[in-house]
Amino acid sequence: MLGRSGWSRAARSIHTRILLSYIGLIVLSGGLCAVAIHEVLVIRLESRITEAVQQEFQEINRLTTDGRDPRTGAPFTSVQAVFDVYFRRNVPSHEEAVLAFADGRLHHAALGRFPIDQLPHDTMQSFATSVRSYSLADGRPPIDRFDTARGEAYYGILPVRVGGSSGAFVVTILPVTQRQEIADLQTYGAAAVLGVVVLASGCAWLVTGRVLGPVRQLTETARLISQSDLTHRIPVGRQREAAEMALTFNAMLDRLEAVFRREREFILDASHELRGPLTISLGNLTMLDPEDSDRPQWRSTIALVTDELERMGRIVGDLQLLADVAHPQFLQPERIDLELFVAELAVKLSALAPRHWHVDDLGAGIVVADRHRLTEAVINLADNAVRHTEDSGTVALGANVTGTEFRLWVRDTGCGVPLDDQPHIFDRFRRGDQAHLRYPGSGLGLSIVRAIAEAHGGRAELVSRPGAGATFTLVIPRQTREGWHLGQDSDC
């Protein structure tokens, strides 16, 4: 059984709130419909009553204006004669009573089909003493009401004047049967609304349960997910919206899992790379003897430790640069004359080391990019090429513009990149199997190159054959990415 907290959670759940809203809407709609139907039925009832009273008034008017006394064959000379003929010829309808007053006294009363045996005394006195003059506005008699033991009755009074006599013709209707039919209809309507509410509530519970099923699965999956376990996924159903939500959520989990996996790999690689310099530094420092501070061994140890600490500083600097890639201000784009830019780079690179430096192609055209970040990437590529070529080797720089992008490459005639290493050459802390033994470095240079290319909306490519050199290329869009804002055009 659910405890108090369980019931509280169930009452606050979206499933319950949707169901209650649905039920409330049905009840409100049913109630408004019932009220509207009741009002329409009452209006129609009153309209029929008015028409029935009007019909009786027309009958008595025809007698007084066009009728003749059957005893004499001449027009009527008194209201009593008119009333006598009328009551002989007409029988009141069901729940209708007709009364005739002459000279202030009751002359005839037809109450045989009226729901009550006699009218209230006050009402009869009012009929007898009434001197009000009723007019038929728009052809319809004025209708008044009085209370009875079986509900409210409707009545109309028609003044009648014939010759020198006057009287009043009264038609009263007490619609007990019709009111009971309206009440029964309301009862049946309420029962029908209740049945609809129960049936609709059950259907709504099932439908909302199915509709909210993916939401519950999403909640349960999110509850089971932690940073160490991102393997749970939501089953993809057949419902279009639910399937789209599940696919979107699963795609987000795939991206998160990839991010966390790279983060773990990065932490492991960083700790491994930093552990080496720390171990070397601490190991050498523990071997120092304060009494031997003047000996060459002391100075060489200090130099070694300093070198390792500087290497750690470079690693930390490279890591900081990679972390800054996601910052919106990482790039500062400007208009660049590609030909002049490549010529400047060629001068800068030639000072790195004594190699055969060559420019394959200066390129031509105006591009939009971050000059300093591209320079940093190219210097990283050139430094990598220098370390993998002999003194007599060739390192070349080139650029060209093709369509909506431009390419900037560094080519060398060194040993090339082994085929097994090529798919991972741009990963952090990834170097060739023997590269870490032959060349110092953090293994972050090519990762920085790729990060700069991707920050521009481009990519980094490698073409290499073992023993035949390698060509690293930056492929960058010529125009600014969305969100970049340029200042004044440069004079390049």
Side-chain angles (χ1 to χ4, degrees):
M1 295 179 63
L2 288 175
R4 181 177 299 178
S5 61
W7 283 112
S8 178
R9 287 194 301 271
R12 293 195 303 268
S13 68
I14 187 172
H15 193 177
T16 304
R17 292 200 300 271
I18 291 176
L19 181 63
L20 292 178
S21 301
Y22 189 69
I23 293 174
L25 182 61
I26 294 177
V27 172
L28 179 61
S29 301
L32 293 177
C33 289
V35 172
I37 292 173
H38 177 267
E39 292 300 318
V40 169
L41 293 176
V42 169
I43 291 173
R44 292 186 61 186
L45 173 62
E46 293 179 350
S47 177
R48 288 197 299 269
I49 290 173
T50 301
E51 291 174 358
V53 174
Q54 172 68 16
Q55 182 180 357
E56 299 298 338
F57 283 1
Q58 290 175 351
E59 289 286 338
I60 201 71
N61 280 330
R62 280 195 295 268
L63 281 176
T64 57
T65 56
D66 301 328
R68 294 181 177 274
D69 191 337
R71 293 175 299 178
T72 63
F76 291 103
T77 58
S78 66
V79 293
Q80 291 88 345
V82 173
F83 291 152
D84 290 341
V85 172
Y86 176 85
F87 279 91
R88 285 197 303 267
R89 294 179 179 178
N90 292 277
V91 177
S93 301
H94 180 64
E95 299 181 334
E96 180 181 276
V98 179
L99 300 94
F101 293 86
D103 298 328
R105 293 179 299 177
L106 181 64
H107 183 71
H108 277 295
L111 300 172
R113 308 190 70 180
F114 204 62
I116 56 178
D117 296 335
Q118 59 182 4
L119 298 179
H121 180 71
D122 294 342
T123 302
M124 292 295 292
Q125 289 287 359
S126 175
F127 292 163
T129 60
S130 176
V131 293
R132 295 167 55 194
S133 179
Y134 291 86
S135 61
L136 302 182
D138 298 329
R140 305 183 69 85
I143 302 298
D144 289 328
R145 307 179 189 188
F146 64 89
D147 293 327
T148 69
R150 302 195 63 178
E152 197 173 49
Y154 300 84
Y155 73 94
I157 301 177
L158 178 67
V160 181
R161 181 175 294 276
V162 178
S165 63
S166 62
F169 183 74
V170 180
V171 179
T172 179
I173 298 174
L174 180 58
V176 175
T177 303
Q178 296 182 65
R179 283 181 176 150
Q180 185 61 45
E181 290 176 353
I182 293 175
D184 292 342
L185 183 60
Q186 284 186 296
T187 301
Y188 298 147
V193 170
L194 181 61
V196 169
V197 168
V198 173
L199 180 61
S201 300
C203 295
W205 181 265
L206 296 176
V207 171
T208 54
R210 293 191 62 182
V211 171
L212 296 176
V215 177
R216 288 195 299 270
Q217 290 179 339
L218 186 149
T219 303
E220 292 298 325
T221 303
R223 186 178 293 116
L224 293 173
I225 287 173
S226 64
Q227 183 171 341
S228 59
D229 184 10
L230 294 170
T231 58
H232 295 281
R233 295 293 184 271
I234 298 177
V236 179
R238 297 180 179 179
Q239 298 179 1
R240 180 177 178 181
E241 291 79 4
E244 290 179 355
M245 182 181 67
L247 290 172
T248 302
F249 188 76
N250 290 340
M252 180 191 69
L253 290 180
D254 292 338
R255 293 192 298 270
L256 287 177
E257 187 176 12
V259 169
F260 284 124
R261 182 174 61 253
R262 289 195 298 268
E263 180 184 351
R264 286 194 296 267
E265 293 174 353
F266 172 76
I267 292 174
L268 291 175
D269 291 340
S271 63
H272 174 75
E273 292 293 327
L274 293 174
R275 187 182 297 113
L278 287 174
T279 302
I280 294 173
S281 300
L282 291 174
N284 283 275
L285 288 175
T286 56
M287 296 175 60
L288 291 178
D289 187 351
E291 297 179 357
D292 297 334
S293 59
D294 295 332
R295 296 185 179 182
Q297 181 183 3
W298 180 285
R299 290 191 295 272
S300 63
T301 301
I302 293 298
L304 186 147
V305 171
T306 301
D307 183 69
E308 291 298 315
L309 293 177
E310 289 176 351
R311 185 158 70 94
M312 283 194 294
R314 288 193 298 272
I315 293 175
V316 172
D318 291 343
L319 293 176
Q320 180 64 46
L321 187 148
L322 290 173
D324 289 341
V325 169
H327 195 278
Q329 301 300 321
F330 176 72
L331 296 180
Q332 300 295 324
E334 59 183 290
R335 295 170 62 85
I336 302 173
D337 186 319
L338 188 60
E339 186 174 0
L340 292 178
F341 179 61
V342 173
E344 292 172 0
L345 285 177
V347 174
K348 294 178 181 179
L349 299 184
S350 62
L352 290 178
R355 299 290 187 274
H356 293 292
W357 293 95
H358 179 70
V359 176
D360 290 336
D361 189 352
L362 285 173
I366 301 298
V367 298
V368 178
D370 188 315
R371 174 189 298 271
H372 301 291
R373 295 299 184 189
L374 288 184
T375 301
E376 186 175 8
V378 171
I379 289 177
N380 270 327
L381 292 177
D383 182 68
N384 184 71
V386 166
R387 288 187 282 110
H388 289 80
T389 57
E390 302 295 336
D391 291 347
S392 58
T394 298
V395 178
L397 172 68
N400 62 18
V401 178
T402 57
T404 59
E405 61 187 19
F406 69 94
R407 306 173 73 87
L408 188 62
W409 66 84
V410 173
R411 176 179 58 83
D412 67 69
T413 57
C415 58
V417 180
L419 296 177
D420 293 339
D421 293 336
Q422 291 185 18
H424 311 288
I425 195 65
F426 292 103
D427 293 347
R428 296 173 180 175
F429 302 113
R430 293 299 293 266
R431 288 179 287 177
D433 292 339
Q434 304 298 322
H436 66 286
L437 300 177
R438 292 181 290 173
Y439 313 109
S442 62
L444 293 173
L446 294 179
S447 299
I448 292 173
V449 170
R450 181 177 66 176
I452 291 174
E454 292 177 349
H456 282 84
R459 62 190 184 276
E461 297 179 350
L462 165 66
V463 176
S464 176
R465 287 186 301 167
T471 301
F472 288 88
T473 305
L474 295 171
V475 183
I476 309 295
R478 292 185 62 184
Q479 301 299 321
T480 57
R481 299 175 62 190
E482 182 179 358
W484 285 8
H485 301 282
L486 296 179
Q488 298 295 326
D489 291 350
S490 65
D491 296 329
C492 298

